[in-house]
Amino acid sequence: MEDSVDRHLARWRGKAPFEERVEAIVTRMQTLVKHLAHTKEAALAQVGMQDYEFETLHRLVARDGRATPSELAADLLLSPAGMTGRLDTLEKAGLVRRVRSVEDRRRVDVELTPKGRDLWTDAMTIRGEVEAHMVHVLDEEAQAQLDRLLRRLLTSVESGRVPWDTRPA
Amino acid sequence: MEDSVDRHLARWRGKAPFEERVEAIVTRMQTLVKHLAHTKEAALAQVGMQDYEFETLHRLVARDGRATPSELAADLLLSPAGMTGRLDTLEKAGLVRRVRSVEDRRRVDVELTPKGRDLWTDAMTIRGEVEAHMVHVLDEEAQAQLDRLLRRLLTSVESGRVPWDTRPA
DNA sequence: GACGAATGGTTCGCCAGCGAAATAGTCTGC
DNA sequence: GCAGACTATTTCGCTGGCGAACCATTCGTC
C-alpha cells in the first residue's frame, strides 16, 4: 500500500534539494490534519456547527465554561482579531455570552450558555467518533508511541524560540 | 517538561467524554502544523513569498514544472475555485504561466516560468531549514518511527472512505 | 495624583478559500 | 451528426482570519 506522500516523494527522487524524511513527516502531518478538518467539517454539519465554532466551545468548556478572549486566542493560536470574530458569531448564535469584567473593566469574560453547552455535548460525540476512527487504526502501543514522538516535537517547538520566528512570545 | 496539550488535557481530567490519547494525538498534530505554518510564513517573507504560494510552486516542480489545475488542486486538497485563485496571483507575479491545451481545449497547463523556478529554489532552502529544525529534535530512528506511524494513518485515511465524508472521491 | 507606557479588546480593510453556478469543450448513443 | 451527459476551469458572492490602527482602562513612577 502506498499513500499520496509516497507518490509525491517518488516524483522527487534524485532532483530534490531536501531531506526526504523531513519532507515525508511534515507533508504527512499536514495532509492528515487537512483531511481531518474536512471530515470533521462534514460530520459536524449534522448539528449545524462548523469546526472552528466547535473548537472554540471545546476550549471554553476545558476552562470550565469561562475564559477571556486572550486565553482562548492563545489556546487556539489565533490572532486577537480572529478571536473577536469567532466570538461574535458564537454570541449571535446564543452559544456564548460576553460579560464585561468588574474588577478590571478592560477585560471581558466569555461564558458558555446552557444552549452552548448542550450543542457542544452533541458535537462532542461526533467529533470523538471522527477522530477516534482515524487514530484507532493504530493499536494501543502504537498510539502511545506516536503521541510520545509528537509530544517531543511540540515541547521543543513551544519551548525554543526559533531563529525565524519574528513574532513576540 | 510539559507542552500546551498536557495543560489542555489536565484541565479535562475526569470531566471528559473522550479518549484522552486520541485527543492528545490529534491536538498535538494540529498544533504542530499550525506552528509550522506560522514559522514558515515568517521565514518565507525573506524572499517575499507566502506559504501557499510556495506550496503551489513546490507541487508544480514535483510534476516537472507542468501540471493542470485539477492535478494541483488534488495534490493540495484544495477546491478548484481556490486553485484558480492561487494561480491568478502566481501568474500575476510572473512565477507561472497558463497555457490552454491544444488536444483538449478545456484543459489548461500550468507551467513554471524561469523566474518561478529561481524563486522556488531560494525559498526551498529556507523552508527546508525551518522544517528540518523542527524534525531534527528527534534522532534518525525516532524520525523513521514517527514517519512509519503517520504513514499508517494516512494510508488508512486515504484508502477508506469514511462514513461521515460526504464529498466525492 | 497625573502622565506616559502597557494591556485587553474591538474595528477596519484586506485576502485566501469555499460552494454553487456559469462557461466552454468533449464524449456517447442513437 | 446532434442531443444530452459529463469534464475542466472560471466567476461570483460570502466568510474566517490577519495585521495595523484604535479605544478604553489600568499600572508605574516621579
Side-chain angles (χ1 to χ4, degrees):
Chain A
M1 261 311 235
E2 63 170 10
D3 65 9
S4 63
V5 176
D6 285 326
R7 289 188 290 279
H8 173 65
L9 292 172
R11 288 201 209 92
W12 280 108
R13 278 288 141 59
K15 52 180 168 172
F18 63 60
E19 295 178 57
E20 184 164 330
R21 181 168 294 139
V22 171
E23 175 90 2
I25 290 173
V26 167
T27 311
R28 288 202 164 99
M29 277 206 293
Q30 287 170 336
T31 312
L32 279 168
V33 167
K34 205 149 191 182
H35 265 294
L36 198 55
H38 286 165
T39 315
K40 279 202 292 187
E41 201 74 59
L44 283 174
Q46 284 175 27
V47 291
M49 217 189 308
Q50 288 187 284
D51 189 48
Y52 80 94
E53 297 177 304
F54 174 78
E55 287 304 329
T56 313
L57 291 186
H58 190 56
R59 292 292 176 153
L60 196 48
V61 177
R63 288 182 181 269
D64 295 306
R66 172 173 272 273
T68 67
S70 337
E71 286 167 342
L72 295 173
D75 283 353
L76 298 160
L77 297 181
L78 216 64
S79 76
M83 200 62 238
T84 302
R86 285 198 183 187
L87 293 176
D88 286 349
T89 42
L90 287 175
E91 192 167 36
K92 206 167 298 174
L95 306 177
V96 128
R97 198 175 15 238
R98 269 191 261 227
V99 187
R100 205 92 222 176
S101 163
V102 253
E103 77 272 3
D104 181 343
R105 300 218 312 285
R106 287 168 306 182
R107 289 169 78 247
V108 168
D109 278 317
V110 180
E111 38 181 73
L112 203 58
T113 63
K115 183 176 170 195
R117 181 169 296 270
D118 287 350
L119 196 53
W120 169 79
T121 310
D122 296 346
M124 194 59 206
T125 318
I126 297 174
R127 185 189 94 135
E129 279 167 13
V130 171
E131 296 186 348
H133 181 268
M134 177 183 103
V135 173
H136 282 173
V137 169
L138 303 178
D139 60 46
E140 287 275 317
E141 178 44 31
Q143 289 173 34
Q145 199 141 45
L146 175 57
D147 190 40
R148 270 196 300 275
L149 292 165
L150 292 173
R151 191 174 174 289
R152 280 169 67 189
L153 290 184
L154 188 54
T155 311
S156 132
V157 165
E158 289 182 342
S159 65
R161 287 289 81 220
V162 179
W164 309 272
D165 196 347
T166 52
R167 308 263 116 252
Chain B
M1 262 307 238
E2 63 170 10
D3 64 9
S4 63
V5 176
D6 285 327
R7 290 188 289 279
H8 173 65
L9 291 172
R11 290 200 206 92
W12 280 108
R13 280 284 143 57
K15 52 180 168 172
F18 63 59
E19 295 178 58
E20 186 164 329
R21 181 166 296 140
V22 172
E23 175 89 3
I25 290 173
V26 168
T27 310
R28 287 202 165 100
M29 276 205 294
Q30 288 170 336
T31 312
L32 278 169
V33 167
K34 205 150 192 183
H35 265 294
L36 198 55
H38 285 164
T39 316
K40 278 201 292 186
E41 201 74 58
L44 284 173
Q46 284 175 27
V47 290
M49 216 190 307
Q50 288 187 286
D51 189 48
Y52 80 94
E53 298 175 304
F54 174 79
E55 288 303 331
T56 313
L57 291 187
H58 190 55
R59 293 289 176 156
L60 196 49
V61 176
R63 289 182 180 269
D64 294 307
R66 171 172 272 271
T68 67
S70 335
E71 286 166 341
L72 294 173
D75 283 353
L76 297 160
L77 297 181
L78 216 64
S79 74
M83 200 62 237
T84 301
R86 286 198 182 188
L87 294 176
D88 286 349
T89 40
L90 288 174
E91 192 167 37
K92 205 167 300 174
L95 307 177
V96 128
R97 196 173 18 235
R98 269 191 261 226
V99 186
R100 206 92 221 174
S101 162
V102 251
E103 78 272 6
D104 182 344
R105 300 220 311 286
R106 287 168 306 182
R107 288 168 77 247
V108 168
D109 278 316
V110 180
E111 40 181 68
L112 203 58
T113 62
K115 183 175 170 194
R117 181 169 295 269
D118 288 350
L119 196 51
W120 169 80
T121 310
D122 295 346
M124 194 59 205
T125 318
I126 297 174
R127 186 190 93 137
E129 278 166 12
V130 171
E131 296 185 348
H133 182 267
M134 178 183 103
V135 173
H136 282 173
V137 169
L138 304 177
D139 59 48
E140 287 275 316
E141 178 45 31
Q143 289 174 32
Q145 199 142 45
L146 175 57
D147 190 40
R148 271 197 298 276
L149 292 165
L150 292 173
R151 191 174 174 289
R152 281 170 66 189
L153 289 183
L154 188 54
T155 310
S156 132
V157 164
E158 289 183 342
S159 65
R161 287 288 82 219
V162 179
W164 310 272
D165 196 347
T166 52
R167 308 263 117 255

